[in-house]
Amino acid sequence: MTTQQILEAARTAKSALALASGETRQQALLGMADALCDPEQIREILAANAQDMEAAKGHITNVMLDRLALTPERIHAMAQGIREVAALPDPVGRVLDRVERPNGLVIEKTAVPMGVIAIIYESRPNVTSDAAALALKSGNACILRCGKEAWRSANAIVAALRQGIRTSGLPETAVCLIEDTTHASANALMTAVGYVDLLIPRGGAGLIRACVENAKVPCIQTGTGICHIFVDDTADQDKALNIIENAKASRPSVCNAEEVCLVHAAIAPEFLPRLAQRLGADRAARGLQPVELRLDPAAATLIPGTPAGPRDFDTEFLDYILAVRVVDSVEEAVRHIAAHSTGHSEAILTQTPAHADLFTAAVDSAAVYVNCSTRFTDGGEFGLGCEMGISTQKLHARGPMGLAELCSYKYIIQGSGQIR
């Protein structure tokens, strides 16, 4: 199908979804999960993914290849994510507010689907099932446009999902995958006024910027994460090392991974050598990828590493690289974050409640943590089942976007003959 035909099909499907009961959408979701777990579908998905992996080798980093790779375990995890979304309360028709006026009018602010949601994403096949599940649960049709590296995998996943949708009687065009992976199809979605009710880009800074600058349909900024962790002078250093290694190295290719470590000057002479040992020699001894440290001048006087360049504190590395700076106070840490953050996730590690309070009040990001890893910024970890993306803006959604953020609302007014 052409991109225009897909837009028209999704617009038609949204009417059926708007009228579908919660039970019907539930049946479709469970059918989608079952279809993903079907052995034949798993074989088809893995075969398609193997082709994607082979084509991508030499063109993307090993870290990005890990994002692209699928295994039977990852496919079953995708299905489990769909089941968790299915088990959540139905967001459609929820009364958000109710007012009874003196004239007898009853006014209810009621959650309704957005309509057609388009998602532009890059090389993470699991986004395909997450986005489809959230869209369908919230009564929306979705149009998926993935990067060329993941298209075969996404196409096989969508084929399985559509098999599950058919069991419910809903139109399979409730989930559509754009076949054209050139810039033309992305531009078509950005300008599909009358067809797309909400555009959500998930990817790097270039994709987000292109959508924000060119979209004529409503667009939400998501994803780019220059995430900071500040190690205060009263931090529990053993816990801090565990948290930083998790935040940086558990999966460096995701947007909630730590990219910058700020360390209080009072503990830097003691803590930074321990950090360098933990992320360097200790990881190498365990057969793990060491983390390269990009050091500001103060940190470079205390530990070996790579001198930080002019852009290293403004870069989402998505790799085993961590920028490190020494600061004199929590206030200086807050100022640094204000100057360099993308508004995604930041953390303070401290045993001083006043510093934690100041940090959480002053840092203007979607998720602000005290004494834990930034890697928790995730729809599943927040109890949302999964997420459509991490919004780094403030209207109308912020942080992990779950079912509530995929609904709009309308006012339904009940009267008994009132006139004005």
Side-chain angles (χ1 to χ4, degrees):
M1 295 173 70
T2 67
T3 300
Q4 181 60 34
Q5 288 171 327
I6 288 172
L7 287 167
E8 292 170 359
R11 186 169 66 176
T12 300
K14 88 172 182 179
S15 299
L17 284 164
L19 295 173
S21 67
E23 291 77 12
T24 299
R25 288 181 274 114
Q26 181 92 345
Q27 181 184 344
L29 287 164
L30 295 176
M32 289 159 59
D34 290 344
L36 271 182
C37 294
D38 178 82
E40 180 59 32
Q41 294 293 344
I42 290 176
R43 282 193 291 272
E44 293 285 341
I45 293 168
L46 291 177
N49 185 247
Q51 290 181 284
D52 282 338
M53 292 288 289
E54 185 60 33
K57 285 177 182 174
H59 299 284
I60 61 177
T61 66
N62 288 338
V63 170
M64 299 306 285
L65 280 171
D66 177 65
R67 292 178 71 161
L68 176 59
L70 288 174
T71 63
E73 292 74 24
R74 287 186 176 183
I75 295 171
H76 281 285
M78 289 158 54
Q80 180 60 27
I82 295 175
R83 293 190 181 100
E84 289 173 3
V85 170
L88 294 171
D90 189 349
V92 180
R94 186 163 56 96
V95 176
L96 307 174
D97 197 11
R98 185 181 188 278
V99 176
E100 187 168 347
R101 299 294 295 149
N103 62 5
L105 288 179
V106 177
I107 304 170
E108 291 184 337
K109 182 179 181 181
T110 306
V112 297
M114 287 283 182
V116 174
I117 298 176
I119 306 97
I120 301 177
Y121 59 106
E122 294 176 343
S123 60
R124 292 181 66 184
N126 66 294
V127 173
T128 306
S129 62
D130 287 356
L134 287 167
L136 202 146
K137 175 75 176 184
S138 53
N140 296 288
C142 73
I143 299 175
L144 304 163
R145 194 275 188 189
C146 69
K148 63 182 180 182
E149 294 87 0
W151 190 85
R152 297 178 189 88
S153 304
N155 189 47
I157 292 167
V158 168
L161 297 179
R162 284 181 154 192
Q163 177 179 301
I165 291 171
R166 286 194 293 270
T167 65
S168 70
L170 290 175
E172 64 177 32
T173 49
V175 177
C176 295
L177 178 69
I178 296 289
E179 297 177 19
D180 175 12
T181 58
T182 69
H183 291 304
S185 65
N187 290 334
L189 292 179
M190 294 179 207
T191 56
V193 176
Y195 293 94
V196 171
D197 296 289
L198 180 64
L199 174 65
I200 303 173
R202 286 187 61 161
L207 170 62
I208 308 299
R209 185 170 58 251
C211 288
V212 170
E213 292 175 355
N214 299 308
K216 295 182 180 179
V217 299
C219 177
I220 286 185
Q221 299 179 52
T222 68
T224 305
I226 301 177
C227 302
H228 298 74
I229 291 182
F230 168 53
V231 186
D232 197 14
D233 57 348
T234 60
D236 181 316
Q237 293 190 27
D238 291 334
K239 290 180 180 178
L241 293 170
N242 291 336
I243 289 168
I244 291 170
E245 183 172 18
N246 174 264
K248 176 70 262 183
S250 63
R251 201 168 184 194
S253 63
V254 293
C255 61
N256 56 24
E258 178 192 10
E259 303 291 15
V260 178
C261 183
L262 306 174
V263 179
H264 197 294
I267 62 165
E270 177 187 1
F271 183 74
L272 284 178
R274 295 186 66 189
L275 180 68
Q277 177 73 23
R278 177 68 171 266
L279 297 183
D282 287 356
R283 285 183 60 81
R286 296 182 354 244
L288 301 174
Q289 174 74 41
V291 175
E292 177 189 348
L293 302 180
R294 304 271 177 94
L295 308 174
D296 83 329
T301 65
L302 299 170
I303 55 173
T306 305
R311 297 295 303 165
D312 280 336
F313 290 97
D314 296 288
T315 298
E316 186 183 28
F317 297 113
L318 301 175
D319 205 343
Y320 291 96
I321 301 170
L322 181 66
V324 180
R325 181 185 172 191
V326 176
V327 296
D328 289 328
S329 63
V330 62
E331 291 83 1
E332 187 180 353
V334 168
R335 288 194 297 271
H336 177 98
I337 291 168
H340 300 277
S341 172
T342 52
H344 193 295
S345 302
E346 330 295 347
I348 181 172
L349 312 183
T350 186
Q351 296 183 83
T352 305
H355 289 181
D357 292 345
L358 184 144
F359 189 89
T360 56
V363 170
D364 188 19
S365 292
V368 184
Y369 294 87
V370 178
N371 293 327
C372 49
S373 171
T374 58
R375 288 279 286 112
F376 287 104
T377 308
D378 174 87
E381 295 293 338
F382 278 25
L384 306 178
C386 51
E387 95 265 336
M388 191 65 82
I390 310 292
S391 172
T392 54
Q393 64 179 43
K394 300 181 183 179
L395 297 174
H396 73 284
R398 197 178 197 193
M401 293 180 62
L403 297 172
E405 290 74 27
L406 301 182
C407 290
S408 183
Y409 56 83
K410 62 184 174 187
Y411 291 95
I412 298 176
I413 303 95
Q414 302 285 351
S416 55
Q418 291 90 335
I419 60 174
R420 180 176 178 181

